Amino acid sequence: MQENETGILYVVGTPIGNRADLTPRALETLCGARAIVAEDTRHVQRLLADTTARMERVSLNAHNESERIPRLLERLRMGEDLALVSDAGVPAVSDPGGRLVAAAHMAGVPVRAVPGPSAVTAALSVAGLPANRFAFEGFLPTKAEARRTRLRAIAREPRTVVLFESPRRLKDLLDELAAACGPEREAMVTRELTKRFETNRRGTLGALAEHFAAHPEEQRGEFTLCLAGAPEEPAESGMATVEGEAVLAALLEELPPSRAAKVAARITGQPKNALYRRAMEWGGVE
């Protein structure tokens, strides 16, 4: 490297389970970097256990990003190449690292991708659901109101949706999705992708919820869920659906028809005019 040149921040994809999925280029990049910036440095040690490489490892996680990033940028400016990895898959995708990547761009430091395995694309490839367009939601919020808002949006999303979930919350997620999207919506639950006990189970949300409730031994490991998109409806059917009417009826107990129709349309995505006509048919008075 020429004097006064900046280093390069390499964003390196690593295996999501099976260590044999580490690419030759990823291994070469990791062994050639001045330091590996990792979510968990112990993960790097296990990943490189079969090599003689003994490079420096620096931890970077949600708790120390603010403190570590300035020093990492300084090292990059001084010409050191750094390799960023997460515990599994591609860094900055539902994992730490995004702030460092953004800071490197702002500082004029080159950022290079070293692609690797991804739970998102791996799950989509075996789901048998449309994957030409999809929406990645990652982990849903844990706070109740934010979670309900996101579930309502997912229920109306026409693209295939990919979600991550932890073992202890899988059953709750399936129940919530069945309630929001209907129990007949198709989905695929993948468990422990690329690992010894990989399981890919497809069915309706209702059937999947029943299965995992009856098989707690399968509620272990890392989960990726692919959800079929909402059926596309005519842009303006001029009709209020059963869902829209149910929401409208509840709102009419507290609001005048025009306001109730407006709020119901925002919640359900139904045509406001159709909802207002239905409210007036029910005897609504402004």
Side-chain angles (χ1 to χ4, degrees), residues 207-286:
L208 288 169
E210 290 180 4
H211 173 83
F212 283 100
H215 296 84
E217 73 280 2
E218 292 189 23
Q219 295 184 44
R220 300 173 185 171
E222 300 295 328
F223 290 91
T224 303
L225 187 148
C226 296
L227 174 70
E232 301 220 18
E233 298 179 0
E236 274 291 344
S237 65
M239 299 284 289
T241 66
V242 172
E243 177 198 9
E245 291 183 354
V247 174
L248 178 65
L251 291 170
L252 283 170
E253 296 178 5
E254 305 291 338
L255 300 172
S258 59
R259 178 66 177 160
K262 182 178 180 179
V263 175
R266 189 163 63 241
I267 293 173
T268 66
Q270 299 301 307
K272 181 177 68 174
N273 292 339
L275 291 165
Y276 180 73
R277 285 196 299 271
R278 178 63 74 189
M280 299 308 290
E281 289 172 3
W282 289 344
V285 177
E286 291 288 356

Side-chain angles (χ1 to χ4, degrees), residues 32-198:
R34 178 62 183 81
I36 299 176
V37 182
E39 182 180 359
D40 185 339
T41 57
R42 294 169 298 181
H43 166 70
V44 176
Q45 184 174 350
R46 291 191 295 269
L47 190 64
L48 301 178
D50 295 334
T51 75
T52 58
R54 294 293 182 268
M55 69 286 299
E56 179 187 355
R57 300 187 294 272
V58 180
S59 69
L60 184 72
N61 52 55
H63 303 293
N64 65 15
E65 278 184 319
S66 298
E67 172 193 345
R68 294 281 167 86
I69 286 176
R71 174 56 183 151
L72 292 171
L73 288 178
E74 182 181 346
R75 295 182 65 169
L76 287 162
R77 290 194 191 98
M78 291 174 62
E80 295 185 10
D81 291 343
L82 302 180
L84 173 67
V85 300
S86 65
D87 284 352
V90 180
V93 181
S94 280
D95 279 322
R99 288 180 61 186
L100 176 59
V101 172
H105 283 299
M106 292 292 291
V109 172
V111 180
R112 300 286 182 265
V114 182
S118 165
V120 177
T121 52
L124 281 169
S125 72
V126 297
L129 297 171
N132 54 321
R133 297 171 62 237
F134 66 91
F136 174 59
E137 286 286 339
F139 290 96
L140 293 185
T142 55
K143 292 187 177 179
E145 184 54 38
R147 193 174 180 89
R148 283 194 293 268
T149 298
R150 192 75 65 82
L151 284 164
R152 286 195 294 266
I154 289 172
R156 299 192 298 269
E157 172 59 61
R159 297 170 293 179
T160 297
V161 177
V162 183
L163 300 130
F164 290 158
E165 192 51 279
S166 63
R168 59 189 176 88
R169 292 201 299 260
L170 176 67
K171 177 61 171 61
D172 289 341
L173 176 64
L174 289 169
D175 288 339
E176 291 168 328
L177 287 171
C181 306
E184 297 307 311
R185 183 82 65 92
E186 289 287 325
M188 170 78 136
V189 175
T190 63
R191 180 173 76 100
E192 295 289 85
L193 279 166
T194 77
K195 299 179 184 177
R196 179 182 177 186
F197 296 106
E198 175 178 337

